[in-house]
Amino acid sequence: MTTQKQINYERIAEAITYIKENFKKQPSLNEIAENVHISPFHFQRTFIEWAGVSPKKFMQYISIEYAKQLLKNQQATLFDTAHETGLSGTSRLHDLFINIEGMTPGEYKNGGKNLYINYSFAESPFGNIIVASTQKGICHMAFFEDQINALSKLQDRFPKANYNQVVDHIQQNALFIFKHDWSKLNQIKLHLNGTPFQLKVWETLLKIPLGGLSTYGAIAKNIDKPKASRAVGTAIGSNPVSFLIPCHRVIQSSGNIGGYMWGSTRKSAIIGWEAAKINS
């Protein structure tokens, strides 16, 4: 059943696509609203409720020039701010420590035969999401359009695991990251399997602060593999935990948004949404 929140996001996503394709022309509120087939007043109100800023301001956040400026200002000290991930003022994000505890090769090789996985479906500002956890932490999180297909993809990763559709405290803690009151975040743990290289890349992604951006080349340099930009891109593309491991914060060095497993429009929406939270 489609909820109003999902309908609103779909409208916002359509508007973001239009803005991305036409931002050089700086389309007016009326033009954008007409493109998504709602009144300018309703569109403005819905957009502000979703992003916290006006469509015009949001347009600045997702433009190529904004991305270039952000990279220019922050890239040099991006990874020095690992312990400063947060918002100032009453909405300050603090005490968010994400630890990766890798699965043993045996756990993954045998298809999760001895794993007990809880999973649930939830809504986020960017569409529906499936989240799964073991007793050690979050093992899977992904945006989806079709619930059955989303569960099938999870089961493909761990075909022999024992599944239970239930919301547990590990999932609840993880989903707090979408809340506006960031201060309620508890410690979030991830239970993942990956090669040492993948885990190193994923850990580096965790150091990009909220509202910050990096590039594939910058991450390759940070892990002392300056010529491994392509391999870094592959590791980022295999990230099994959307949003919590912020692969959406990695863009092309030109400032272009680049690809994203869950769609470039959703990636633009997340980047703009996070920038709005920082700047508001």
Side-chain angles (χ1 to χ4, degrees):
M1 182 177 179
T2 303
T3 66
Q4 188 59 47
K5 182 181 289 187
Q6 180 65 15
I7 292 172
N8 285 344
Y9 172 69
E10 289 174 357
R11 283 176 173 168
I12 297 300
E14 188 177 352
I16 289 170
T17 298
Y18 182 80
I19 291 172
K20 282 176 60 182
E21 294 174 350
N22 298 278
F23 75 89
K24 291 182 180 179
K25 301 176 183 177
Q26 293 294 296
S28 67
L29 176 67
N30 288 350
E31 289 175 295
I32 302 172
E34 182 179 357
N35 184 263
V36 296
H37 311 296
I38 56 177
S39 70
F41 173 79
H42 183 61
F43 173 64
Q44 175 95 340
R45 185 177 65 182
T46 301
F47 202 102
I48 290 175
E49 287 175 354
W50 181 84
V53 294
S54 69
K56 182 177 181 180
K57 192 63 149 179
F58 194 87
M59 192 188 310
Q60 297 173 2
Y61 294 151
I62 66 170
S63 72
I64 292 178
E65 290 306 316
Y66 168 80
K68 286 180 178 178
Q69 193 63 33
L70 193 59
L71 286 174
K72 180 180 178 181
N73 292 340
Q74 295 188 13
Q75 187 168 319
T77 60
L78 196 57
F79 298 102
D80 296 332
T81 60
H83 300 292
E84 298 175 9
T85 53
L87 300 169
S88 59
T90 57
S91 298
R92 185 171 181 240
L93 171 60
H94 63 88
D95 297 332
L96 175 57
F97 302 97
I98 305 181
N99 300 318
I100 294 180
E101 182 176 358
M103 294 180 186
T104 65
E107 284 177 321
Y108 190 78
K109 185 177 181 180
N110 65 17
K113 184 177 180 180
N114 298 318
L115 287 178
Y116 287 84
I117 296 177
N118 293 335
Y119 71 92
S120 62
F121 303 101
E123 292 183 338
S124 81
F126 315 104
N128 293 322
I129 196 165
I130 182 173
V131 57
S133 58
T134 69
Q135 62 178 357
K136 294 181 180 180
I138 298 296
C139 64
H140 181 81
M141 182 181 282
F143 297 104
F144 70 88
E145 307 300 331
D146 177 79
Q147 195 172 98
I148 295 176
N149 186 47
L151 178 57
S152 177
K153 287 183 178 180
L154 169 62
Q155 292 172 332
D156 284 345
R157 293 191 62 227
F158 307 106
K160 297 180 181 179
N162 301 281
Y163 290 94
N164 187 25
Q165 186 174 357
V166 63
V167 180
D168 57 32
H169 73 279
I170 293 175
Q171 296 170 25
Q172 289 175 328
N173 287 343
L175 292 171
F176 271 134
I177 200 166
F178 293 112
K179 299 289 186 180
H180 289 277
D181 188 357
W182 302 91
S183 65
K184 291 184 178 179
L185 282 172
N186 294 316
Q187 187 173 18
I188 299 173
K189 290 186 178 180
L190 303 178
H191 188 199
L192 306 177
N193 178 80
T195 65
F197 181 82
Q198 287 175 323
L199 291 175
K200 196 168 186 178
V201 170
W202 297 341
E203 286 181 307
T204 304
L205 296 181
L206 295 173
K207 297 178 181 180
I208 306 175
L210 185 77
L213 297 174
S214 187
T215 65
Y216 301 99
I219 291 176
K221 290 178 182 178
N222 186 262
I223 62 173
D224 297 322
K225 302 286 185 180
K227 297 182 179 180
S229 295
R230 183 169 295 181
V232 164
T234 300
I236 291 173
S238 61
N239 170 25
V241 181
S242 65
F243 203 85
L244 289 179
I245 297 180
C247 53
H248 58 272
R249 294 176 188 162
V250 183
I251 66 174
Q252 297 174 1
S253 58
S254 64
N256 285 307
I257 295 298
Y260 187 53
M261 186 186 305
W262 297 281
S264 60
T265 295
R266 182 173 278 115
K267 181 177 182 178
S268 295
I270 296 173
I271 289 172
W273 186 80
E274 290 187 336
K277 299 308 169 189
I278 288 291
N279 287 278
S280 63

